[in-house]
Amino acid sequence: MIVEHFLKWIDTARVAERAAAAAALAHAYVQKELPFEDRCAAEAALTLLLDDPSAKVRLAMAEVLSMSRHAPLQVVSALASDQPEVAALVLARSPLLTDSDLIDRVAAGSTVTQKLIADRPAVSMALAAAIAEVGEPEACAALLANTGADIASLSFRRMAERHGDLALVREALIADPRLPSDCRHMLLVKVGEALKRSPLVAALIGPARAERVMRDACVRASMTLIEGTRANEHAALIEHLRLRGDLTASFLIRTVAHGKVDFFGAAMVALSGQTEARVRSLLAGGNDMALSALFRNAGLSAATHKVLLVALKVWREVANGKRVAGAQEVSWLMLKELGEAQAASDLAGLLKSIHIDALRDNARRHALAIAAA
């Protein structure tokens, strides 16, 4: 009876009165304060109010119904498709919208709609994957900022591939501790490529030098990246580097010179086809002949074998507590192993570059330590 009077009254009521009445009716419905028959009538009335010409009435309904699991599904679904200020509440909060509903709205929605969905208190892995695949940059950045979002490694990669050139998404990706290491490397490369394309950089140092500087910077950044990469992510990073053509002999020599023996071992597993246990055993205690065979199977030229063997022996002694050494000493011993006969070779040039970089890093750290004392 109350709902019957309500339906007759709304035709003559003012907007503010209709909005207040709609909110009260919605509140009574979700609180289950009405008898069954009146509840059915209230649901019909709420459905009818979807056609109210004033957005304020529908907004009042959305404010109440958007947080409830007991709201009428057809009403919530219609409000989610209403004009932005009404739909925003439902898209951002309603527990009645399923992943399927939300994925469809991400695919067909505006940037504003995608951001609202990406900001929901909980975002499933499937929904996050949809946003990563088709979402605008602003939606992807909102997803990355959402601590309630369950994001798969593949989704991180898709966002890095699609929007890694944009500072908004790139910074959000780099700041996320869940970002896989291969994605971090991809973003490092994108930053380098952006700098290389910069008209200012090209004008200052020229395209050829910009290319060389970018390549060297990416290699050094990759070495830093390895330090923060968990062992269980080495295989993914190695595969990423291999596909890009960055897993070169010079890069592997650099990793050994810097003591990244675990990463080097994972690379040997990927390149040689040997088991992880076999490679680990060889690196820990294998003789020179067995290690050289491993290097050959991995595609490393014979010219690189002796410098790798020298470095691995030093790092074994460091690991066993028999020696204290760092990249500066190891790179010097590798260079010394080549001898005068190969002083002008490309390998000697690489080792000299590694050694000089190590000298600079040590000097820089020493100066900072003095300044901080």
Side-chain angles (χ1 to χ4, degrees):
M1 186 64 70
I2 294 172
V3 175
E4 182 180 340
H5 286 304
F6 170 79
L7 292 174
K8 292 178 180 178
W9 168 78
I10 58 172
D11 289 333
T12 57
R14 294 191 296 271
V15 171
E17 294 172 334
R18 297 201 308 273
L25 184 62
H27 183 77
Y29 183 91
V30 298
Q31 293 297 320
K32 300 184 177 181
E33 296 173 351
L34 301 172
F36 178 74
E37 290 186 4
D38 285 345
R39 184 173 169 79
C40 291
E43 182 174 331
L46 290 170
T47 305
L48 183 64
L49 285 171
L50 293 170
D51 299 324
D52 195 287
S54 173
K56 292 181 179 179
V57 174
R58 303 193 301 279
L59 182 61
M61 294 167 56
E63 287 177 344
V64 177
L65 299 177
S66 62
M67 297 289 285
S68 175
R69 294 186 177 277
H70 306 297
L73 180 59
Q74 75 278 13
V75 176
V76 168
S77 181
L79 291 172
S81 301
D82 210 307
Q83 63 191 61
E85 63 177 328
V86 176
L89 292 171
V90 179
L91 290 172
R93 305 190 302 197
S94 178
L96 293 181
L97 296 177
T98 65
D99 275 357
S100 179
D101 295 329
L102 293 168
I103 288 170
D104 288 343
R105 294 177 192 279
V106 164
S110 64
T111 301
V112 173
T113 296
Q114 292 178 349
K115 281 186 66 179
L116 288 166
I117 294 173
D119 258 335
R120 285 173 65 90
V123 176
S124 71
M125 191 175 290
L127 179 54
I131 296 170
E133 191 64 39
V134 301
E136 295 297 323
E138 295 83 357
C140 290
L143 178 68
L144 291 164
N146 185 353
T147 56
D150 187 7
I151 307 175
S153 295
L154 181 61
S155 298
F156 279 113
R157 292 187 182 93
R158 286 300 293 144
M159 287 187 279
E161 290 167 356
R162 295 181 62 234
H163 301 307
D165 294 320
L166 302 175
L168 174 69
V169 179
R170 185 172 61 240
E171 290 173 5
L173 282 166
I174 291 173
D176 197 313
R178 300 169 293 178
L179 183 69
S181 57
D182 56 318
C183 295
R184 290 190 184 277
H185 184 267
M186 184 190 305
L187 294 174
L188 288 172
V189 173
K190 286 182 179 291
V191 170
E193 290 173 346
L195 288 173
K196 184 181 68 175
R197 293 192 300 267
S198 167
L200 177 61
V201 172
L204 288 173
I205 64 176
R209 190 179 175 202
E211 171 72 28
R212 187 170 64 256
V213 169
M214 185 276 289
R215 186 171 59 250
D216 290 345
C218 285
V219 168
R220 291 185 180 92
S222 298
M223 296 304 301
T224 303
L225 177 61
I226 292 172
E227 291 179 7
T229 300
R230 296 187 297 270
N232 61 359
E233 291 186 9
H234 282 166
L237 179 56
I238 287 164
E239 182 63 15
H240 172 74
L241 292 168
R242 188 182 66 79
L243 292 174
R244 279 188 47 83
D246 292 337
L247 195 65
T248 60
S250 61
F251 183 78
L252 291 173
I253 289 169
R254 191 179 290 269
T255 63
V256 174
H258 282 273
K260 318 298 183 191
V261 178
D262 287 343
F263 181 85
F264 178 74
M268 291 298 98
V269 171
L271 295 174
S272 69
Q274 299 286 335
T275 65
E276 182 179 348
R278 172 63 176 164
V279 170
R280 187 178 298 167
S281 174
L282 287 173
L283 293 178
N287 60 38
D288 289 358
M289 289 184 61
L291 284 169
S292 292
L294 173 66
F295 300 157
R296 280 196 301 273
N297 288 338
L300 295 174
S301 67
T304 66
H305 294 185
K306 58 182 181 180
V307 297
L308 290 171
L309 291 171
V310 166
L312 289 172
K313 286 176 183 176
V314 175
W315 292 123
R316 278 181 190 171
E317 292 176 359
V318 171
N320 293 327
K322 298 179 180 179
R323 186 172 189 165
V324 176
Q328 179 178 320
E329 181 180 350
V330 172
S331 59
W332 170 250
L333 292 172
M334 294 170 80
L335 185 59
K336 187 178 177 182
E337 181 66 20
L338 285 180
E340 293 296 330
Q342 299 185 57
S345 66
D346 290 342
L347 180 55
L350 170 65
L351 292 172
K352 190 176 296 183
S353 171
I354 295 170
H355 183 62
I356 291 172
D357 286 344
L359 285 170
R360 287 175 179 170
D361 288 342
N362 286 342
R364 188 180 298 113
R365 281 195 290 269
H366 189 196
L368 291 173
I370 292 172

